[in-house]
Amino acid sequence: GSPAVAALSENGESVHIVFTNVIDPIAQGFASSLARPGGRISGFTTFEFGLNAKHVEVMTEIVPGLRRLFVIFDPQLSSGIGQLDAIRRATERTPIEIKPVDARRDVSIAEAFAEAAKFPDSGIVVTGSPATGLLRASLVQLAAQARVPTIYPYCHFVEAGGLVAYGPSLLEPFAKAAAYVDRILRGALVGDLPIQAPTRYNLYINLNTARSLGLQISSALLARADVVIE
């Protein structure tokens, strides 16, 4: 992820880095372009900001008449700010009010779920970041306790009991990264290896969680799901 790459990049010009989970590597200064990174860092992204618009779309299908959307993000990362901005752009022509929540503050997160629980027209988006990844179990638990519809960036949140997720596989980039490492050890220049984005994004729905929340998932949304947990 981004924090690890940032730390490793300070270790001298001889260190070559292949990452597997960085959001917007250009904005974070890790590369000059996706096609030709140009430095000693390349790899595979697992997220692009267009996904955030999809998260909003799915949430509006789950919560008809959605008016409040709490966004749990990391304000200390450019990728966190970028995801929040993408969600704001996706809702700028709607009546949905965006409520940012700092993923690094447990109190803010707990307060957000408590506030969302007071209004049936609320939903929560968990953005992709190391901070939210570490909070997976507590976020899923808070959503269950507050009975608030919540969408996540990766499937393992849904496998842990979360309601819905839309995002890429987190495993696929590692196999591809191994191939990059092999090429580098054989003499390829890291800066010549393009940064690759996922080729497929999947929709995961946990019907057991939907039932526990008293939600009726539409047949149209279920038909689009790649994985349904029952």
Side-chain angles (χ1 to χ4, degrees):
S2 302
V5 174
L8 289 170
S9 65
E10 299 175 359
N11 289 331
E13 294 297 323
S14 63
V15 178
H16 304 291
I17 300 170
V18 177
F19 58 76
T20 58
N21 185 6
V22 167
I23 300 172
D24 198 359
I26 296 176
Q28 297 190 73
F30 298 147
S32 57
S33 75
L34 297 180
R36 294 184 65 85
R40 54 192 176 89
I41 303 175
S42 186
F44 303 85
T45 65
T46 56
F47 207 93
E48 55 92 14
F49 296 146
L51 283 179
N52 296 116
K54 187 69 173 180
H55 290 161
V56 173
E57 176 189 325
V58 172
M59 186 55 67
T60 57
E61 292 189 59
I62 293 174
V63 185
L66 180 70
R67 290 296 180 270
R68 297 172 181 83
L69 193 58
F70 296 78
V71 181
I72 300 176
F73 78 112
D74 188 341
Q76 296 187 23
L77 295 178
S78 63
S79 58
I81 296 171
Q83 291 177 82
L84 176 63
D85 288 344
I87 291 171
R88 281 181 167 144
R89 289 194 299 273
T91 58
E92 61 186 4
R93 295 185 179 181
T94 74
I96 299 172
E97 179 184 2
I98 301 300
K99 293 179 172 290
V101 182
D102 190 339
R104 293 179 177 267
R105 298 187 67 241
D106 293 343
V107 174
S108 296
I109 294 173
E111 290 175 346
F113 276 99
E115 184 180 351
K118 298 176 183 178
F119 304 97
D121 56 0
S122 295
I124 291 179
V125 174
V126 175
T127 64
S129 75
T132 56
L134 290 172
L135 293 172
R136 176 185 60 179
S138 62
L139 289 171
V140 169
Q141 183 179 20
L142 282 168
Q145 292 172 345
R147 297 176 61 81
V148 177
T150 304
I151 187 167
Y152 306 91
Y154 304 118
C155 66
H156 54 270
F157 286 89
V158 173
E159 292 167 350
L163 174 64
V164 60
Y166 183 78
S169 167
L170 291 179
L171 298 179
E172 183 179 333
F174 287 92
K176 294 181 177 179
Y180 264 25
V181 170
D182 178 67
R183 291 174 64 179
I184 293 166
L185 294 176
R186 294 173 184 271
L189 297 177
V190 183
D192 291 340
L193 300 177
I195 295 172
Q196 298 185 40
T199 57
R200 179 178 173 82
Y201 299 94
N202 296 315
L203 176 63
Y204 304 82
I205 298 175
N206 191 320
L207 274 185
N208 292 323
T209 301
R211 295 187 189 102
S212 70
L213 296 177
L215 294 173
Q216 182 68 41
I217 305 298
S218 70
S219 57
L221 189 59
L222 285 174
R224 300 207 308 271
D226 298 279
V227 177
V228 176
I229 298 176
E230 299 188 66

